[in-house]
Amino acid sequence: HGWRLLFADDSLSQKKAIWSLLHLVPLSLYPPPLFSLKVNGFPTCCMVEIVVNVMFLFQVIKVYNEDNTSKAVEVPTDVTARDICQLFVLKNHCIDDHSWTLFEHLSHLGIERTIEDHESVMEVSSGWGMDSDSRLYFRKNYAKYEFFKRPLDFFPDHMVSISTETNGLVDHSELIQTFLKSSTCPEIHGYLHAKEQSKKSWKKFYFVLRRSGLYYSNKGTSKEPRHLQLFADFSDSHVYTVLSAKKLHGAPTEFGFCVKSTKCSSARDLKLLCADDEQTRTCWITAMRLLKFGMQLYQNFVQPYQKQKASPMRSISENSLVAMDFSGQKTRVIENPSEALSVAVEEGLSWRRKSCHRLSGHGSPSAAQSSVPNIAIHLAQPWFHGKLSREEAQRLIIQQGLIDGVFLLRDSQSNPKTFVLSLCHMQKIKHFQILPVDDEGELFYSLDDGHTRFADLIQLVEFYQLNRGVLPCKLKHHCAQITL
């Protein structure tokens, strides 16, 4: 109605301002009869009302990266988190391995959470206060759906009780199904530290998570109804990770998380909890996500794979690619797949040798110069993060998912001539030093004191992606950082 009043004014400048809005919308959206209704050469208010309604279907949002660079994009008001992720994957030419995730980050509260793929981004942002420092972050989260693949890594035996309506025990191979079915009653239990409301003190209670909500026992480990007190329900709440639990809330450990109502805007209203270790915190948070979203979470997990099965053919451009041999006087198409593979491998090795020679300097390289390409060739690799500190490496791996095989390589802070491999295993981050080995003037790199040697870091990473060797697990997922 505000737009109609504005257009009803006789001011020609106001009419022109509104008419200029029409150029933002395709003419096909206007019903043709409305063009015959004009006042002083301009369409009447009924047409403007249609344009305004169309404009309200779009909104500008700002999305941040890990380095706090941001990008503003115009999106439909019904856009989901998955839509945003796919948009940035396409814009930045990333590989869509279904691990890209949108996070809700509330800086003023020091908390963040994964926005589930099906959630409306506008609904999430509508709960933010006008003066709050709330952001959307786009980054990897390899652990987002890992519990569907390896549930026993996320739910330790001592924390899970599973029983059906007949009170029979369910095999652990059916663990996830018990969360997804309404007829079953999964139960997560264990000790947690809870912050008392309006106080600075923390107390340890025995908690029980059921479909009806999160409860704590006021009498030891008793689960009798008269001893269980409701701590939080999830009908209008989400579970968040607390980023600096000790510093912000005086928690006994750094493994903090909280339950926040969608209407809550103050730190006083947060229901703060703290676990004794990362595995316990991960178990509680994952269980709360499953109980809140249920089958929808599983559909989010399988949807990308269903699309791949529905359209197994590659794109037209990919199908038009063929292997060619230009080595002879005449070019030919390589039809044998084995020959095409061997040619591709040889070209890769040839490119590497040429790159090494080009980087080594002009003229005949000396023994000292020959080591230069080994040092420089890895700089463009997505898994190499340069002068990243130990603490920053740990923070990046935690952000992108504490699952086996998440890794990155970086420069050593203590020894400038060496490198460090930071690797996650069993939800713990370990650091392995990569030492240079000089063998008759040739420089190699090794993780095992020279027993296994590599000409450059690319070879080292490729080897440990296929072989565990001296590492606790293979390298699976590299920490990725992109500029939006």
Side-chain angles (χ1 to χ4, degrees):
H1 295 290
W3 287 99
R4 182 173 294 180
L5 288 172
L6 179 64
F7 193 78
D9 190 278
D10 289 333
S11 170
L12 189 63
S13 62
Q14 289 187 355
K15 293 176 185 177
K16 286 184 177 179
I18 295 179
W19 172 241
S20 66
L21 297 177
L22 300 179
H23 297 284
L24 300 175
V25 186
L27 291 176
S28 59
L29 294 176
Y30 308 147
L34 291 177
F35 281 98
S36 61
L37 303 173
K38 295 183 178 181
V39 177
N40 294 334
F42 294 97
T44 54
C45 57
C46 56
M47 186 172 179
V48 174
E49 189 173 15
I50 294 173
V51 176
V52 172
N53 288 337
V54 173
M55 289 183 64
F56 281 136
L57 296 177
F58 292 87
Q59 191 166 333
V60 176
I61 64 170
K62 186 179 283 190
V63 180
Y64 289 81
N65 197 11
E66 281 128 332
D67 59 1
N68 286 323
T69 59
S70 63
K71 183 81 171 179
V73 291
E74 188 179 43
V75 295
T77 54
D78 61 347
V79 70
T80 65
R82 170 164 281 165
D83 296 332
I84 297 291
C85 291
Q86 289 180 336
L87 173 67
F88 280 103
V89 164
L90 290 172
K91 280 182 173 289
N92 293 280
H93 309 288
C94 304
I95 297 175
D96 189 7
D97 57 0
H98 318 310
S99 62
W100 291 103
T101 307
L102 204 63
F103 286 84
E104 180 188 12
H105 182 93
L106 308 179
S107 301
H108 61 293
L109 299 177
I111 59 176
E112 73 173 19
R113 74 172 179 99
T114 295
I115 303 178
E116 306 299 347
D117 286 340
H118 69 279
E119 286 190 81
S120 166
V121 176
M122 296 308 169
E123 285 186 15
V124 172
S125 61
S126 65
W128 299 346
M130 294 295 293
D131 56 347
S132 66
D133 185 10
S134 304
R135 296 181 175 184
L136 297 172
Y137 274 87
F138 172 70
R139 63 171 182 258
K140 288 270 191 182
N141 181 14
Y142 292 110
K144 181 165 63 171
Y145 298 127
E146 189 70 9
F147 53 87
F148 284 120
K149 304 173 187 176
R150 304 173 65 179
L152 297 184
D153 289 352
F154 286 77
F155 300 104
D157 286 339
H158 67 276
M159 291 185 63
V160 184
S161 296
I162 310 171
S163 60
T164 61
E165 290 174 337
T166 58
N167 293 324
L169 294 178
V170 176
D171 188 85
H172 278 88
S173 62
E174 302 176 6
L175 179 61
I176 294 298
Q177 284 79 353
T178 63
F179 283 99
L180 303 180
K181 296 175 182 177
S182 58
S183 62
T184 55
C185 191
E187 190 175 273
I188 306 296
H189 49 79
Y191 281 99
L192 289 171
H193 304 272
K195 190 174 186 296
E196 296 186 278
Q197 289 289 335
S198 305
K199 295 182 180 179
K200 294 183 178 180
S201 59
W202 291 71
K203 280 190 176 181
K204 200 168 189 177
F205 293 99
Y206 188 78
F207 278 84
V208 179
L209 179 64
R210 294 174 175 170
R211 287 203 178 278
S212 54
L214 179 64
Y215 300 84
Y216 69 94
S217 176
N218 57 20
K219 187 176 181 181
T221 59
S222 173
K223 296 182 183 179
E224 292 185 26
R226 59 198 179 99
H227 295 145
L228 292 180
Q229 304 291 320
L230 180 65
F231 184 81
D233 71 85
F234 300 96
S235 58
D236 193 33
S237 302
H238 292 282
V239 59
Y240 290 76
T241 300
V242 179
L243 301 176
S244 299
K246 278 188 174 181
K247 181 179 179 181
L248 293 178
H249 305 287
T253 74
E254 283 291 4
F255 309 109
F257 61 104
C258 71
V259 179
K260 175 188 171 295
S261 168
T262 54
K263 301 174 182 177
C264 163
S265 60
S266 169
R268 294 192 303 268
D269 301 322
L270 298 178
K271 297 183 178 180
L272 293 160
L273 297 164
C274 181
D276 289 327
D277 53 61
E278 183 60 51
Q279 186 183 35
T280 303
R281 175 170 71 170
T282 301
C283 177
W284 284 102
I285 292 177
T286 305
M288 290 174 186
R289 287 176 60 202
L290 275 166
L291 287 178
K292 179 172 178 64
F293 296 106
M295 186 57 73
Q296 180 64 62
L297 215 57
Y298 182 73
Q299 291 172 353
N300 293 347
F301 165 61
V302 299
Q303 183 181 350
Y305 301 101
Q306 290 174 340
K307 286 184 178 179
Q308 289 176 353
K309 289 180 181 179
S311 56
M313 292 296 291
R314 297 180 299 172
S315 66
I316 296 174
S317 60
E318 287 177 318
N319 286 323
S320 63
L321 296 176
V322 294
M324 301 289 292
D325 178 15
F326 298 96
S327 59
Q329 294 182 348
K330 294 183 178 180
T331 58
R332 68 182 181 92
V333 176
I334 304 176
E335 297 181 353
N336 188 336
S338 300
E339 183 185 1
L341 179 61
S342 63
V343 169
V345 172
E346 177 58 32
E347 284 191 357
L349 294 173
S350 175
W351 169 85
R352 184 173 291 179
R353 287 193 293 268
K354 289 178 182 178
S355 298
C356 292
H357 180 72
R358 183 170 61 253
L359 289 167
S360 63
H362 300 288
S364 300
S366 62
Q369 287 176 320
S370 65
S371 65
V372 174
N374 294 348
I375 297 175
I377 197 171
H378 58 270
L379 293 177
Q381 299 303 310
W383 39 256
F384 186 74
H385 292 259
K387 298 182 186 223
L388 202 68
S389 69
R390 184 187 184 99
E391 293 73 23
E392 290 171 330
Q394 292 190 167
R395 179 187 59 81
L396 188 58
I397 292 176
I398 290 172
Q399 283 183 342
Q400 302 201 3
L402 285 174
I403 63 172
D404 289 359
V406 177
F407 76 97
L408 61 84
L409 266 71
R410 56 188 174 89
D411 291 315
S412 172
Q413 299 282 298
S414 57
N415 189 344
K417 293 183 179 180
T418 64
F419 300 94
V420 176
L421 168 66
S422 299
L423 173 66
C424 179
H425 179 246
M426 300 293 290
Q427 297 185 335
K428 294 182 180 179
I429 301 169
K430 301 180 181 180
H431 306 274
F432 303 88
Q433 199 164 46
I434 302 172
L435 298 172
V437 178
D438 194 311
D439 186 3
E440 297 181 356
E442 288 193 62
L443 187 63
F444 297 92
Y445 293 98
S446 176
L447 271 171
D448 54 7
D449 297 324
H451 295 292
T452 311
R453 303 179 183 184
F454 305 94
D456 53 56
L457 295 183
I458 296 178
Q459 288 184 359
L460 184 146
V461 169
E462 289 174 349
F463 175 83
Y464 287 107
Q465 284 175 329
L466 299 174
N467 310 275
R468 193 181 78 173
V470 295
L471 299 176
C473 63
K474 296 178 185 177
L475 307 182
K476 294 181 182 177
H477 312 289
H478 67 269
C479 285
Q481 282 186 306
I482 62 170
T483 301
L484 296 179

